[in-house]
Amino acid sequence: MGHERQLVIDMMEPRHFRTLFISDVHLGSKAAKADFLLDFLRYHEADTIVLVGDIVDGWRLKRNWYWPQVCNDVVQKLLRKARKGTRVVYIPGNHDEFLRDFPGMHFGGIEVVERMMHVGADGKKYLILHGDEFDVVVRNARLLAYLGDWAYDTAIRINILLAAVRRRLGMPYWSFSAWAKLQVKHAVNFIGEFERVVAEEARKSGADGVICGHIHHAIIQDMDGIRYINTGDWVESCTAVAEHADGTFELITWRALAIAVPALTAVERPEEAELAPQAA
């Protein structure tokens, strides 16, 4: 089965896009699915790749250094793409906020900017930012944010154990960490409020839409005339957003490493584009 899976993956043709948007990889966290991202980058090319924050998890690395070879492989893959002519832009998030001290700098061909205005192929403008500046917890209560981060780590560990037990019992996969996160955030209406505030920021900036990350909730939707796009994450949902040559956007969930089939996609259909986080 393993040989057949690898054969199918090897036969897959790389896809080329105008722009790829990736966020919340959390390299340095044991929960990061860096191997899935590396696999994804092998089969997806773009003229421009925008890293929309929390690519490196500085918070976790400060607490406990964890940097396996696959993390180096992801970094080297991005640097190699930059050397071969892909424009790679890095917008820092709260977990890799140390890079916010270097706006305008280039590292191995990768540009660092605080935020940017992306002009789509169809002429529409999209404000791109990580989004943590609109998270009241991160902005106003750093200690509480760290505690929340620790709680999420704990939920991920519970999720791994629970998934193993359910497999042994022949039960389908169910993500405890995604369920717990959504229950808490729904209780305070966090996700909806975050989306509304970020969309309003795009409106104030004169943009037609906004592309962000931060809350690990992948979706493409219209909000009162503003296109709201969240890239999701590479901890549970393994999602990225791609812009085609005609300016349409596609939400990609990468599963090839796990089940050897092409990526699942949702193209420009806001009512179908939401992906509830689930482990790969």
Side-chain angles (χ1 to χ4, degrees):
M1 180 64 180
H3 175 73
E4 293 175 357
R5 178 170 64 238
Q6 188 59 49
L7 181 62
V8 173
I9 294 175
D10 290 342
M11 292 174 63
M12 291 174 58
E13 290 292 329
R15 304 178 69 196
H16 188 94
F17 298 95
R18 185 173 187 264
T19 318
L20 278 174
F21 304 90
I22 298 168
S23 78
D24 297 275
V25 182
H26 291 275
L27 295 176
S29 163
K30 293 181 180 180
K33 289 186 171 60
D35 52 346
F36 276 75
L37 178 58
L38 183 63
D39 193 51
F40 174 85
L41 291 172
R42 291 190 181 112
Y43 295 97
H44 295 79
E45 301 288 345
D47 300 330
T48 301
I49 296 176
V50 184
L51 306 173
V52 195
D54 284 3
I55 305 303
V56 175
D57 199 324
W59 289 13
R60 288 177 176 84
L61 290 173
K62 284 181 180 179
R63 293 201 304 263
N64 181 35
W65 185 263
Y66 177 76
W67 194 264
Q69 181 58 43
V70 68
C71 292
N72 282 333
D73 293 341
V74 169
V75 173
Q76 288 300 320
K77 186 68 171 177
L78 290 168
L79 289 171
R80 193 174 302 117
K81 286 181 180 292
R83 287 197 300 271
K84 290 183 177 180
T86 299
R87 183 190 181 198
V88 183
V89 183
Y90 196 138
I91 298 174
N94 50 306
H95 283 258
D96 45 19
E97 60 189 353
F98 58 90
L99 285 172
R100 287 175 170 163
D101 293 332
F102 305 98
M105 296 289 290
H106 286 67
F107 296 95
I110 297 177
E111 309 169 42
V112 178
V113 300
E114 293 185 24
R115 57 168 64 184
M116 65 182 288
M117 191 68 75
H118 173 75
V119 180
D122 56 2
K124 292 183 178 179
K125 296 189 296 183
Y126 294 84
L127 176 65
I128 310 178
L129 41 73
H130 181 63
D132 61 289
E133 58 265 54
F134 301 101
D135 185 336
V136 176
V137 172
V138 172
R139 189 177 64 223
N140 294 331
R142 178 60 63 92
L143 176 60
L144 187 58
Y146 276 116
L147 290 174
D149 193 55
W150 172 83
Y152 187 59
D153 277 350
T154 302
I156 288 289
R157 287 194 289 270
I158 293 173
N159 196 67
I160 293 171
L161 177 61
L162 185 61
V165 171
R166 289 176 68 89
R167 277 198 305 271
R168 284 181 176 272
L169 296 176
M171 299 172 68
Y173 179 79
W174 178 72
S175 175
F176 168 78
S177 56
W179 174 84
K181 178 179 65 178
L182 289 174
Q183 291 305 308
V184 172
K185 290 180 189 266
H186 282 163
V188 297
N189 199 26
F190 175 80
I191 290 178
E193 182 65 14
F194 176 88
E195 293 170 347
R196 185 191 67 77
V197 171
V198 173
E200 185 59 30
E201 178 70 11
R203 193 188 311 278
K204 291 178 182 177
S205 301
D208 300 291
V210 62
I211 301 173
C212 63
H214 186 54
I215 61 172
H216 296 204
H217 190 68
I219 192 170
I220 299 175
Q221 65 178 349
D222 290 318
M223 301 183 65
D224 297 325
I226 296 293
R227 172 58 55 91
Y228 171 88
I229 300 174
N230 194 296
T231 54
D233 68 278
W234 290 84
V235 174
E236 291 180 298
S237 57
C238 296
T239 52
V241 169
E243 181 197 6
H244 289 269
D246 62 358
T248 57
F249 286 86
E250 176 180 339
L251 183 57
I252 304 173
T253 302
W254 185 242
R255 292 287 185 266
L257 190 62
I259 59 176
V261 296
L264 305 174
T265 65
V267 186
E268 287 294 303
R269 291 190 297 270
E271 70 279 4
E272 299 177 11
E274 181 175 357
L275 296 178
Q278 52 182 280

